[in-house]
Amino acid sequence: YKNNNAIALSLTAALLVGSSSGFAATTWKIAGGDSEGSSQHAFGLKFVEQLEANTDSEFSGQLFMSSQLGSEQDTVVEAGLGTLDFSILAINNVTPFSPTVGVFTLPYVIQSLEEAELLTQGEVGAELVENTVNDAGVRIVGWAYTGFRVLTNSKQPIETLEDLQQVIVRVPKNEIMIDTYKAWGGNPTPMAWSETFTALQQGVVDGQDNPYVTVDAMKFDTVQKYVTNIRYIFSIEPLIMSESVYQAQTPEIQQAIIAAGKVATKHSAEFLTANEARIKQQLIEKGMVINDPANGEKEWIEKATTAVWPKHYDSIGGKDKLNRILRLLGRDEV
Ligand code: MLT
C-alpha cells in the first residue's frame, strides 16, 4: 500500500505541475515600474504567457506593476542580490548600475523604433547583456520599446529653450539626462519614477518626460496639460533577470526564458506600432495640448549633442563605441 500511495502522490504532483491552470511549480516575481496598460505591462503579459508555454507551465511569473516592489532603480539592486527574480524598467534606470547601457540614453542617438530594434537585438545589445551581468548581477532577457520620451508640463506650451527655463522638470536619477537638461539651460530635479505622479500632482515639479504610451497608462493627463514633441531619447525598457536565479536553472529552462523574451520583444514592437498614434490622439481628446519644438528641434539637438556626448564618452565605453553605433545607424561619426 505504501508504494501505491507514493505512486499516487507523485502522479498527482505531476498532474499539478503539468496543468496550465495556475499551478506552476515555480512562479517568479516580476516587477514593473509602470501601471497596467503600459508597454511594460503588455511585454510582461506576453513574456509570462510564453514562459508557461515553453515550460509546460512548470514556470510562470506574477507581475507587480506600478512600482509595487520598489522604485525601478531599487529593483535592479534587488535582482542583483537575488531577492527579486525579474524587473521590467526603463534602461535609464539601469545606467547607474552598469554605465555602458547609457549609450541608449545619449540624446539623439536612436531616432526610430527600427534603430532601437537593430541595436538591442544585434551585437551592441549582446555586449550590454554581458556588461550588466558583470556590473550589476542582472541579465537582460528581452526588450520593450515604448517610443520617444516627450516633455509634459502643467504650466505653459514649451517650444524653445527659453520656454523650458520657466518650468521645473523631474528627471530620472540619470547623469546623462540631468546633463541634457542642464545643457538646455533647464531646471532638472532628479527623482525616482515611483514618486513622480505625486510630485506632479502636488506641484513639487511642473513637468517630466516619458513616451505617450506611458503618459497615458500613468494617467499623467490628469496632472499635466502641455506636451512638447521632443525626440531626444527613444525609450527602451529591458526585462532584467537576477543572474543568480538564471544560473540556478537548467540549460533547457534558460533556453525557455530567452525564447520567451524574444517573442515578448517582437510583441512589444507590434504593440507600440499598433497603439502609439491612437494613444496620442486619445490624449488630445482628453485635453492635452501638443506642440513641436521650435526650429525643427535644431537648438535642442545642437546643445545636447555638443555638451553631453563628449562628457559621457568614457562612461558609455569610449568614443569608438559611439562611432561604431553611429556607423551601424548610417550616421556621421564624431
Ligand atoms: C523614468 O522616467 O524613470 C522611467 O522612464 C519611467 C518608466 O519606466 O516608464
Side-chain angles (χ1 to χ4, degrees), residues 306-323:
T306 52
V308 182
W309 285 12
K311 185 166 178 197
H312 288 277
Y313 286 152
D314 285 349
S315 72
I316 60 146
K319 188 175 173 184
D320 288 350
K321 179 173 169 186
L322 177 60
N323 276 330

Side-chain angles (χ1 to χ4, degrees), residues 31-35 38-41 43 65 67 70-76 87-98 101-102 104-105 120 132 138 140 142-149 170-174 177 191-194 208-211 214 232-240:
D34 298 348
S35 48
S38 61
S39 114
Q40 292 183 2
H41 189 228
F43 178 99
M65 302 307 296
S67 302
S71 75
E72 290 195 354
Q73 294 197 5
D74 286 348
T75 66
V76 182
S87 176
I88 314 170
L89 73 172
I91 194 86
N92 48 269
N93 287 327
V94 181
T95 318
F97 310 96
S98 189
V101 301
F104 287 166
T105 309
T120 50
T132 48
V138 298
I140 296 169
W143 306 91
Y145 308 106
T146 315
F148 286 102
R149 296 178 72 106
R170 173 269 170 180
V171 292
K173 295 178 187 171
N174 176 297
M177 295 165 87
M191 186 184 287
W193 178 231
S194 47
Q208 63 86 47
D209 69 64
N210 259 290
T214 309
Y232 84 123
I233 292 174
F234 185 97
S235 188
I236 291 174
E237 315 206 354
L239 169 65
I240 59 170

Side-chain angles (χ1 to χ4, degrees), residues 107-136:
Y108 301 104
V109 170
I110 298 178
Q111 293 183 10
S112 67
L113 169 62
E114 291 68 31
E115 292 188 353
E117 290 184 277
L118 178 79
L119 293 184
T120 50
Q121 295 174 37
E123 185 190 300
V124 175
E127 271 172 30
L128 295 183
V129 171
E130 227 171 88
N131 293 352
T132 48
V133 167
N134 294 330
D135 298 339

Side-chain angles (χ1 to χ4, degrees), residues 15 42 46 64-65 89 93 101 111 143 150 160 171 186 192 196 199 233 248 251 253 258 284 324 330 333:
L15 277 174
K46 182 54 92 179
F64 295 86
M65 302 307 296
L89 73 172
N93 287 327
V101 301
Q111 293 183 10
W143 306 91
V150 295
T160 65
V171 292
T196 303
I233 292 174
I253 297 304
I258 299 297
I284 295 172
R324 185 155 55 91
E333 294 183 26

